[in-house]
Amino acid sequence: MPAPLTDAGRLAPSRSAECSTGADRASLDPARLDRQVIFEAVGRRLFSERFSPVQFGRFLLLGTLGRGGMGTVFKAYDESLDRSIAIKVLHPGTSEHHADRLRREAQALAKLSHPNVVHVYEVGEVAGQWFIAMELVPGQTLRRWHEGEHDWRARVTMYVRTGAGLAAAHAAGLVHRDFKPDNCIVDQQGRPRVLDFGLVRGAVSSMGSSPSVEPEGSDTAWRTCTQTGAVMGTLGYMPPEQIRGRTVDARSDQFAFCVSLFEALYGDRPFTDRPGAQSRAQVLEAIAKGTIRPAPRGTKVPEVVRKIVVRGLANDPAARWPSMDALLAELERLLAPRKRSWLMLGLAGGLVAVAVGLAFYVEVSFRCEGAVAHLRDTWDDPRRAEVEAALLATGLPYSNDTWEHVRGRLDDYARRWADRHTEVCEATSVRQEQSTEVMDLRMECLRQRRVALKQAVDVLADTGEAEVRNAVKLVANLPALSRCDNVDALRADLPPPEDPAVAHEVWSLRAQLLRASSLERVGRYDDALLVTEQIVEQAEALDYPPLTAEASLLRGRIRDAKGEYPEAQQDLERAYALAAEHGHDGPEAEAAAWLINVVGARRAHHEEGQWWGRTALALARGRHVEPQTLGHALVNLGLIRRAQGELDDALRYFQRALASFESALGPDHPDVAQALRSIGAVHRARGELDDALAHYRRASAIVERTLGPRHPAAAGLLNNIGNVLKRQDEPGEALEHYERASAIIEQALGPKHPHLASMHNNIGNLLQDQGELDDALAHFQISVTIWEQALGPDHPSVADALHNIGSLMTRRYALPEAQEHFVRALTIREAALGPEHPDVADTLTNLSVVLGNLGQWDDALTYLQRALAIHEKISDPEGLQVARLHNNLSAILRHLDRLPESRTHSLRALSIREKKLGPDHPEVAVPLTGLVVLDLAEGDLDQARARAQRAVAINEDRGQPEQLAWSRFMLAQALWPAPDQRARALALARLARETTARLGKHQQAQLSEIDTWLAEHGEH
């Protein structure tokens, strides 16, 4: 019999199921790219058919906000500071003179901190390409704000606050040179900010305003001064001195400010009857002569306001207000509270109107009642009875619990919908707190939620056994009603198509899309896919890309659930590209978050998955994005880092996801349980079993409260708890949890359901660890039978069970049978998952162990080297999986007498594990014992003793029994050459033998080696 591989942990682990819910993108390398290459690459990647963000230094460029003659402004994500920003990248063709001036002014502005100025964070360069990083302010331009219903006081107040930002910049020695409503942003709290001080000059603003116009004059002098490149600014807002190319100062900004305020008050600029009605030459002539259009008839703007603004429009800068501060002081004086007499008169008038107002309130309030009537045929008593009958008719053991939870959630959603409907109506019709326009926006939002509710109820009323388990998940994920209160976000939503017929068709298709989404959430994937594919075709025919993006996103999600990963990736990338191109923030962020999982976890392209993760984290902070999208992105990133062995990173991602879900969805949402389960899995992998158990049990409590104790999801968490108890050397309790989980699955889903196969698989692993190999084999074989019948003989789950049977046969030392099972598992995994999947590497690893024990060391080395190459390519070269493979390679090389190479691999395994897990983790003891063998072979007894004693200490504290026994045996061999240590050596060897014998038949090879040594060293 050939000598066995003696390193603990030499097999790839048997697969214990963790129940859960379950084009390259290279960065720009500044060291290799010059400025022109970078900018061309940015253009290709951001504007290609396959939209793709670009890594630019530490920034991730996500899309363009605007382009102009001197630079392009991108929406970006600063990875080091974890925040979204706007970043202006100067064009390579920008002259050094202008570039230097822009940089100086940006650096000066970076020192300015004012609440009405968009803050500049940084000025720098990447490979010689200069950029300006600045605050990204979600909101609307001041020009868009003009379109709202605001009286003259509100408009003057807004401009006074905006002007305060200009005045602060002037005090810092900065001049804007292109102030206009497009270069100001009003944030979601109604605070105005000024953009692009000294940064525009014929380019666009950082929030995407239209390109500035280079005017052509009507006479030779003006034409000469306004040729392209000679004057920077926007026609209609530039003062005469700027048009003539003369020196500009703060008074020039004052002129542009007054043009903008004039436009806000009267609807048009002062030097034209209406925008576009005059030629450029006529506009220039009006500005040169100071010909200001009269106030429109019937204006409510006081004449005193007009006089203040007109002074700021004087042709001669000296005739304007001395400063912005002086101008603002005059405007603020007009806004001061009226005298007390006027106040008292107003109060008296108000008392006279009370009776009329109360009568009006009673009348209109009555008209605002009846919101519940809108829910007729959506969620009312007949529909409630219909859903109850459908759920209870399944006869499932958890159907009563499911009905109670579904009814409670739907009743609550409907009640809150009706309350909001009434509140929105009364806010306009009774309290007059909001405009009709705002009421229409909010009512349309509520209408969409009512349709989503109806589609969910329709699906629940037509559900069967297979879908009941997802019913609570469906209603828990109805669209949030709170979004209908966010007026700024509603205003910024993409407008429907201009053609009313097309708009109606889009609305109808979106309603169908909500039905398809409901079908997907309850697991009716084939039905959902059929509906969604029809919607994709119809959306394409309508040529309305936002709808195509939404439908492609849903189709990608469905294909992911069906295991069609390449097709899912294609759909999701298309959804992402279309959404990004058309500013559809929600689907853009959701597609990126979903791609993390499909690309990075499902297809094991870890680096690409992390790239999508960085993109999704940046996009998830958008104001149009559902709040749970951030949590999903974090969970998926955690799954990738966990697969790479980066457990600290994975834990941080999962903990952030938990906080995000709890904040957005409340403490009892199924997604909260998912995050807790993921945290528990990381603690389990790190050996922190008490923490793992606590998180699994907390998740289990949530699932039992929200879904009921007999729901299949409850079985999943019982299974996970059993996995931890197994690790805690509590086989009795572990088996109890596995059996409870099996009973729930069998009752709920039947004796041939794939989930039941997972339970048998885990029970088999537990019994195998207890040395009960015959019973373990029986459970593995049941798993194979169920999975083959339910999923087909070539499904990856079948390979999981075959892999575990191969491990069991290896422990039995039935090596030909083990080899047969591993070869079949390898064939299935290579075909289903691809030749470079980590599961393929695991089977290659175990095949190498079998071949080594068969004495086929060269073949064993070949398989193991291939496994190492897979993990180093798709995973982290410093990851724990790679460390395990280095350790196994060391063992094979020892048997081939290639001791120097063996030592190199053992030291590499030791280094990685110490770095990742700390110096006292049980897995650190594994390469230590391998190094002891090498030290003994080379006669370095001192080193052998030191390493063996350290391995024993680690294993006595936290190690598995077999690892402790083996490290004691290694220490015995290291101590024996010292005569005064021989008694201790024999005692350690006897302890090692006692433990090994107790562990059962699968430790027979190790037991034989210990017995041989004891016999040779005086033990009879």
Side-chain angles (χ1 to χ4, degrees):
M1 179 184 295
L5 292 177
T6 55
D7 289 46
R10 61 195 179 281
L11 285 174
S14 298
R15 182 64 60 87
S16 292
E18 282 286 332
C19 294
S20 63
T21 57
D24 295 337
R25 290 171 170 75
S27 298
L28 299 176
D29 183 356
R32 297 188 297 105
L33 300 176
D34 61 23
R35 297 170 67 192
Q36 187 65 44
V37 171
I38 288 177
F39 216 83
E40 289 176 356
V42 168
R44 285 196 305 271
R45 299 269 292 282
L46 289 177
F47 302 108
S48 63
E49 182 179 349
R50 184 179 179 183
F51 188 97
S52 176
V54 179
Q55 196 75 38
F56 183 71
R58 76 170 192 270
F59 305 106
L60 191 66
L61 307 185
L62 300 172
T64 54
L65 295 168
R67 299 190 299 278
M70 300 194 67
T72 298
V73 182
F74 297 98
K75 180 181 180 181
Y77 177 60
D78 185 340
E79 295 180 330
S80 64
L81 298 178
D82 188 27
R83 65 183 175 191
S84 297
I85 62 168
I87 181 169
K88 170 172 277 189
V89 181
L90 301 189
H91 290 324
T94 303
S95 70
E96 288 300 321
H97 169 71
H98 282 124
D100 287 343
R101 188 171 182 182
L102 288 176
R103 290 194 295 270
R104 287 195 304 271
E105 293 185 358
Q107 288 163 349
L109 187 58
K111 300 175 182 178
L112 174 63
S113 178
H114 191 275
N116 299 112
V117 176
V118 169
H119 188 59
V120 170
Y121 297 129
E122 178 183 353
V123 179
E125 62 177 325
V126 172
Q129 186 68 49
W130 281 92
F131 68 85
I132 302 161
M134 63 194 88
E135 181 182 11
L136 180 65
V137 182
Q140 57 183 324
T141 63
L142 188 54
R143 183 178 302 283
R144 179 71 180 271
W145 182 88
H146 286 180
E147 299 170 5
E149 297 180 8
H150 313 291
D151 63 17
W152 72 266
R153 284 182 172 276
R155 292 172 185 270
V156 172
T157 299
M158 180 64 73
Y159 267 85
V160 166
R161 296 167 67 193
T162 305
L166 264 183
H170 293 165
L174 295 169
V175 180
H176 194 290
R177 298 181 181 84
D178 195 21
F179 182 88
K180 56 187 176 183
D182 304 279
N183 281 341
C184 302
I185 192 80
V186 181
D187 68 18
Q188 294 174 340
Q189 289 71 46
R191 173 158 56 107
R193 323 271 188 96
V194 185
L195 308 167
D196 279 356
F197 281 93
L199 306 181
V200 183
R201 292 193 179 83
V204 296
S205 81
S206 64
M207 298 309 292
S209 64
S210 302
S212 300
V213 177
E214 301 293 352
E216 296 179 3
S218 59
D219 56 46
T220 303
W222 285 77
R223 186 165 56 249
T224 301
C225 293
T226 57
Q227 290 171 350
T228 301
V231 173
M232 302 298 178
T234 303
L235 179 63
Y237 297 92
M238 288 190 293
E241 66 270 18
Q242 188 172 359
I243 295 174
R244 295 187 177 99
R246 297 175 181 172
T247 302
V248 297
D249 57 21
R251 294 171 298 179
S252 306
D253 282 350
Q254 181 190 140
F255 182 96
F257 176 87
C258 288
V259 172
S260 302
L261 178 53
F262 190 102
E263 187 176 11
L265 292 170
Y266 301 114
D268 288 319
R269 292 193 292 270
F271 300 105
T272 178
D273 288 338
R274 61 185 184 276
Q278 294 174 297
S279 69
R280 292 177 175 178
Q282 290 172 318
V283 172
L284 290 169
E285 183 178 0
I287 294 173
K289 294 180 179 179
T291 305
I292 298 173
R293 63 186 296 275
R297 292 181 180 178
T299 181
K300 296 181 180 179
V301 180
E303 181 62 22
V304 65
V305 174
R306 176 180 169 81
K307 289 180 179 179
I308 293 172
V309 174
V310 167
R311 178 174 173 181
L313 297 172
N315 198 308
D316 181 2
R320 300 171 196 155
W321 295 97
S323 65
M324 278 297 304
D325 287 328
L327 167 59
L328 298 177
E330 286 298 310
L331 292 172
E332 287 177 324
R333 184 177 59 80
L334 294 178
L335 298 172
R338 298 175 180 178
K339 293 183 180 180
R340 183 175 179 84
S341 59
W342 288 101
L343 176 63
M344 295 306 295
L345 181 59
L347 288 174
L351 290 172
V352 172
V354 165
V356 176
L358 286 174
F360 176 78
Y361 179 90
V362 170
E363 178 187 354
V364 175
S365 180
F366 176 79
R367 290 204 308 265
C368 285
E369 293 177 357
V372 174
H374 289 282
L375 296 175
R376 187 174 297 119
D377 297 328
T378 295
W379 187 244
D380 53 13
D381 288 340
R383 296 292 277 164
R384 192 179 285 107
E386 193 177 352
V387 172
E388 179 182 14
L391 294 178
L392 298 185
T394 63
L396 293 170
Y398 58 94
S399 59
N400 278 308
D401 289 336
T402 299
W403 162 240
E404 291 299 324
H405 292 297
V406 164
R407 181 182 62 184
R409 286 180 180 271
L410 289 179
D411 284 347
D412 178 66
Y413 192 89
R415 177 188 55 76
R416 289 186 293 113
W417 186 94
D419 289 346
R420 263 187 173 78
H421 191 280
T422 300
E423 189 278 328
V424 171
C425 175
E426 291 182 351
T428 296
S429 302
V430 179
R431 301 188 301 275
Q432 300 183 9
E433 295 172 349
Q434 68 183 14
S435 66
T436 303
E437 176 238 353
V438 170
M439 181 180 73
D440 290 344
L441 285 171
R442 297 180 68 190
M443 284 297 191
E444 176 61 24
C445 176
L446 288 171
R447 179 190 177 202
Q448 294 168 3
R449 267 84 184 136
R450 179 172 58 81
V451 172
L453 174 62
K454 184 179 188 307
Q455 297 294 356
V457 171
D458 286 347
V459 168
L460 289 172
D462 185 33
T463 197
E465 291 185 12
E467 294 81 27
V468 174
R469 63 180 176 273
N470 292 315
V472 175
K473 175 183 174 184
L474 170 62
V475 298
N477 285 286
L478 285 168
L481 295 169
S482 57
R483 177 172 169 76
C484 299
D485 300 331
N486 189 340
V487 177
D488 286 336
L490 296 177
R491 277 180 172 148
D493 277 346
L494 292 178
E498 294 182 2
D499 186 330
V502 176
H504 176 75
E505 184 66 18
V506 167
W507 168 259
S508 175
L509 289 174
R510 279 185 166 144
Q512 295 179 46
L513 203 59
L514 287 168
R515 174 173 175 78
S517 178
S518 295
L519 290 168
E520 178 237 358
R521 290 194 184 279
V522 296
R524 291 170 59 178
Y525 301 124
D526 291 336
D527 292 341
L529 185 60
L530 180 63
V531 174
T532 306
E533 286 180 335
Q534 293 172 349
I535 297 172
V536 170
E537 292 178 5
Q538 292 173 280
E540 289 171 341
L542 286 174
D543 193 24
Y544 187 61
L547 179 61
T548 306
E550 296 163 21
S552 298
L553 169 61
L554 181 56
R555 188 167 68 177
R557 285 169 32 188
I558 297 167
R559 285 175 163 169
D560 172 39
K562 289 171 63 67
E564 300 169 358
Y565 303 136
E567 295 83 358
Q569 180 176 350
Q570 183 179 1
D571 271 333
L572 293 168
E573 287 183 339
R574 184 186 186 207
Y576 174 84
L578 287 171
E581 180 182 354
H582 294 276
H584 205 2
D585 293 355
E588 180 187 9
E590 189 177 348
W594 212 272
L595 279 161
I596 305 169
N597 190 41
V598 171
V599 176
R602 306 287 201 198
R603 307 194 70 189
H605 299 160
H606 295 151
E607 294 303 320
E608 189 174 359
Q610 289 184 80
W611 181 91
W612 279 112
R614 294 194 299 272
T615 303
L617 289 185
L619 296 173
R621 292 166 172 79
R623 57 180 172 161
H624 300 150
V625 179
E626 294 295 334
Q628 60 266 39
T629 302
L630 175 61
H632 293 150
L634 291 165
V635 164
N636 291 338
L637 270 168
L639 292 174
I640 293 176
R641 299 305 277 165
R642 178 185 165 194
Q644 291 178 299
E646 293 292 343
L647 300 182
D648 290 344
D649 283 353
L651 184 60
R652 281 192 290 270
Y653 280 127
F654 291 145
Q655 287 171 335
R656 289 173 61 192
L658 175 62
S660 176
F661 285 143
E662 287 180 324
S663 173
L665 305 172
D668 277 347
H669 193 278
D671 287 346
V672 173
Q674 177 193 4
L676 288 166
R677 180 170 45 238
S678 299
I679 293 171
V682 174
H683 282 303
R684 177 182 170 224
R686 290 182 4 162
E688 299 161 353
L689 302 182
D690 289 340
D691 288 334
L693 200 59
H695 283 87
Y696 281 147
R697 283 179 167 156
R698 184 179 162 200
S700 179
I702 292 173
V703 167
E704 290 194 6
R705 282 197 301 272
T706 58
L707 303 178
R710 291 175 289 182
H711 192 279
L717 281 156
L718 288 171
N719 169 77
N720 294 350
I721 292 170
N723 288 341
V724 176
L725 292 169
K726 172 188 164 189
R727 285 277 303 275
Q728 288 182 319
D729 201 22
E730 298 287 350
E733 287 190 58
L735 184 60
E736 178 188 342
H737 280 77
Y738 287 149
E739 289 176 341
R740 284 176 56 198
S742 297
I744 292 172
I745 293 295
E746 191 164 1
Q747 272 194 322
L749 304 177
K752 297 182 180 180
H753 195 277
H755 287 353
L756 188 61
S758 298
M759 300 299 110
H760 282 290
N761 191 61
N762 288 359
I763 292 172
N765 281 327
L766 174 66
L767 295 173
Q768 181 179 200
D769 287 348
Q770 298 303 304
E772 300 177 28
L773 300 188
D774 291 338
D775 289 341
L777 181 60
H779 283 281
F780 288 146
Q781 288 171 336
I782 292 172
S783 296
V784 171
T785 301
I786 293 175
W787 273 327
E788 283 184 332
Q789 291 177 354
L791 305 174
D794 297 325
H795 193 276
S797 292
V798 175
D800 292 346
L802 292 170
H803 180 100
N804 289 348
I805 293 174
S807 299
L808 183 148
M809 293 300 179
T810 304
R811 294 184 180 219
R812 273 185 166 175
Y813 222 72
L815 300 179
E817 292 90 337
Q819 183 179 3
E820 177 187 349
H821 283 85
F822 282 137
V823 167
R824 187 180 165 201
L826 179 63
T827 302
I828 293 172
R829 285 178 167 178
E830 285 181 321
L833 305 174
E836 294 185 344
H837 195 279
D839 287 357
V840 171
D842 286 345
T843 305
L844 288 168
T845 300
N846 287 8
L847 257 178
S848 74
V849 171
V850 171
L851 292 171
N853 281 291
L854 287 171
Q856 300 174 27
W857 296 109
D858 290 329
D859 289 340
L861 182 62
T862 299
Y863 279 114
L864 198 56
Q865 287 172 331
R866 184 182 160 198
L868 178 61
I870 290 172
H871 276 297
E872 286 188 325
K873 180 177 181 180
I874 67 173
S875 186
D876 182 1
E878 299 286 324
L880 294 174
Q881 286 284 76
V882 170
R884 179 168 59 84
L885 295 174
H886 279 297
N887 195 71
N888 287 6
L889 276 169
S890 175
I892 292 175
L893 290 165
R894 284 202 303 273
H895 284 277
L896 291 170
D897 290 327
R898 293 162 61 174
L899 300 187
E901 294 174 71
S902 175
R903 181 177 294 277
T904 297
H905 285 285
S906 280
L907 289 171
R908 191 82 191 96
L910 179 63
S911 173
I912 293 172
R913 286 178 171 175
E914 286 181 325
K915 179 180 177 181
K916 297 290 185 183
L917 302 172
D920 298 323
H921 194 278
E923 290 191 31
V924 171
V926 177
L928 281 173
T929 55
L931 286 166
V932 171
V933 176
L934 294 170
D935 293 335
L936 291 172
E938 295 173 1
D940 190 346
L941 297 178
D942 290 339
Q943 186 73 277
R945 290 176 190 135
R947 284 178 169 144
Q949 286 172 339
R950 183 181 167 199
V952 169
I954 291 172
N955 284 322
E956 284 180 336
D957 182 39
R958 300 170 64 189
Q960 298 291 321
E962 62 267 26
Q963 292 182 12
L964 175 58
W966 195 252
S967 60
R968 282 172 172 166
F969 180 52
M970 289 293 102
L971 180 56
Q973 295 178 72
L975 292 173
W976 180 262
D980 62 338
Q981 294 293 319
R982 289 183 176 176
R984 184 184 175 203
L986 285 172
L988 286 166
R990 292 178 191 130
L991 271 175
R993 188 195 186 285
E994 179 184 337
T995 302
T996 304
R998 190 169 62 246
L999 290 173
K1001 296 177 182 179
H1002 68 284
Q1003 292 290 319
Q1004 188 60 50
Q1006 288 84 342
L1007 185 62
S1008 297
E1009 187 169 343
I1010 296 171
D1011 283 340
T1012 300
W1013 187 89
L1014 283 169
E1016 291 174 352
H1017 293 78
E1019 188 79 4
H1020 300 288

